[in-house]
Amino acid sequence: MQISHLGIHESVGAIFPAEQLREELSALDPTVVVVADGDDALADCDALVTFAHRDAFLDTDLEWVHSIQAGYDRFPLDEFGDAGIVLTNSTGIHGTSVGETVLGTMLEIARRLHGFSRQQVAHEWNRPDWDEPFTLQHEPICVVGLGTLGQGIAKRADAIGMHVTGVRRSAESVPHVRTVYANDDLHEAVSGARFVALATPLTAETEGLMGKAEFDAMRNDAYFINVSRGDCADQDALVAAVRDGEIAGAALDVFEEEPLPEDSPLWDMDDVIVTPHAAAAEVDYYRHIAELVRENTQHIDADEELTNRVV
């Protein structure tokens, strides 16, 4: 593989300005250009950095596509393989941002800050009942999925004194996690936790992973946090669990349909925090992507295996 023209697809603008990444990569040997849908410049590109997938990518001479997200469920992997296009993703860069987001939402819930924010908008001055606020120290959290995101959550939860357990394919130990459960023991793992944080990629195995049975297994005073993908949890079952008091609430960054429809009951539930798929957002996001792209162009020059290769 030889790369002479590297394109940055305009869709990265959903996360950061495409020009920002182009400037960061301007010192690369390949010519770096921003390309748009229908742009003739795409035909000259050997490689592409993108947020979205377009079927047109499969009809070009692209040899390598890099996704600026860790998740790659939007890309047709079999078709990429058939077309001989290498696909890499951005796993490994979001542990800090997502970990801090989850810690922040847990603090909002425990210290009732989300309620105070809503009161401020309404110009209301009300203190919560004496037994509503609590501290996170010693509270149990179960992190489902212990990759980069899950370990980022576990590290920060452990740092403030929470009791951290987790779930992964194998029960091998993980730093900052006291007990690791195998996937088959998911119900046991979530049953004792005050917070259950879902941080898995979306795969055939994880689609619908958290459903009615799993919410039933959780404590009535437990909160569900989702920073994985919306389809990893049954949203109707979650709404019912919160509405019926089977769990206490949720903090959700991802949804089955995005943007979240205006008529979703999740908007108006008192103990549900809704964020717009922004857990990984940070000012240095484009720099992390540039670092991965530079690393892989070096691997290509040296005829080495690419980092984070999916296809």
Side-chain angles (χ1 to χ4, degrees):
M1 185 191 307
Q2 290 187 341
I3 304 300
S4 61
H5 284 75
L6 172 67
I8 300 172
H9 190 259
E10 61 179 353
S11 64
V12 304
I15 308 297
F16 49 73
E19 270 300 323
Q20 200 79 41
L21 180 59
R22 189 199 67 77
E23 291 178 11
E24 188 72 12
L25 292 172
S26 60
L28 283 181
D29 285 339
T31 301
V32 183
V33 296
V34 175
V35 298
D37 289 332
D39 196 332
D40 291 340
L42 179 61
D44 296 327
C45 293
D46 314 293
L48 187 70
V49 180
T50 186
F51 171 78
H53 169 69
R54 300 285 189 262
D55 288 340
F57 297 167
L58 298 167
D59 299 324
T60 64
D61 292 326
L62 287 171
E63 295 191 61
W64 168 39
V65 171
H66 179 78
S67 167
I68 66 169
Q69 290 189 299
Y72 48 83
D73 46 282
R74 69 181 72 226
F75 295 91
L77 304 187
D78 290 342
E79 293 180 41
F80 266 64
D82 292 342
I85 301 174
V86 172
L87 176 66
T88 57
N89 71 344
S90 299
T91 190
I93 68 172
H94 300 313
T96 297
S97 55
V98 172
E100 289 185 2
T101 297
V102 172
L103 177 58
T105 55
M106 290 193 296
L107 286 166
E108 280 191 84
I109 290 167
R111 307 307 306 145
R112 314 312 290 166
L113 303 181
H114 62 307
F116 296 147
S117 295
R118 292 170 181 171
Q119 287 181 192
Q120 180 176 354
V121 173
H123 294 195
E124 295 177 353
W125 184 277
N126 296 312
R127 293 172 61 89
D129 291 341
W130 70 273
D131 58 349
E132 286 186 28
F134 58 97
T135 61
L136 294 181
Q137 188 176 25
H138 305 310
E139 287 288 349
I141 175 175
C142 178
V143 183
V144 182
L146 289 170
T148 299
L149 302 188
Q151 291 186 46
I153 296 167
K155 180 178 180 179
R156 285 151 185 84
D158 183 40
I160 63 168
M162 298 184 75
H163 186 288
V164 185
T165 62
V167 179
R168 64 180 304 190
R169 289 179 182 175
S170 67
E172 296 176 8
S173 63
V174 174
H176 306 287
V177 182
R178 300 189 188 189
T179 304
V180 179
Y181 295 86
N183 287 346
D184 290 344
D185 298 320
L186 176 61
H187 287 192
E188 179 184 355
V190 303
S191 65
R194 188 70 180 272
F195 293 91
V196 174
L198 184 60
T200 61
L202 175 60
T203 66
E205 291 74 26
T206 63
E207 185 173 1
L209 180 64
M210 291 295 297
K212 183 181 185 304
E214 288 69 36
F215 294 128
D216 285 347
M218 291 171 57
R219 291 165 38 170
N220 290 345
D221 64 347
Y223 294 85
F224 173 64
I225 301 172
N226 192 357
V227 289
S228 59
R229 284 290 187 270
D231 287 338
C232 290
D234 183 329
Q235 197 161 291
D236 289 339
L238 172 61
V239 168
V242 176
R243 182 193 63 220
D244 299 339
E246 295 298 328
I247 64 174
L252 308 171
D253 189 57
V254 290
F255 305 89
E256 290 177 348
E257 180 181 349
E258 296 180 4
L260 183 65
E262 291 185 9
D263 61 354
S264 171
L266 291 168
W267 287 113
D268 299 314
M269 290 181 156
D270 288 341
D271 273 319
V272 172
I273 296 172
V274 170
T275 53
H277 203 149
E282 59 161 313
V283 68
D284 288 326
Y285 197 132
Y286 75 96
R287 291 192 175 96
H288 299 317
I289 298 300
E291 184 177 349
L292 279 173
V293 172
R294 280 193 293 265
E295 179 181 340
N296 272 334
T297 57
Q298 291 169 1
H299 287 324
I300 290 171
D301 289 342
D303 196 25
E304 297 172 346
E305 182 64 29
L306 272 63
T307 300
N308 291 351
R309 181 167 179 167
V310 178
V311 176

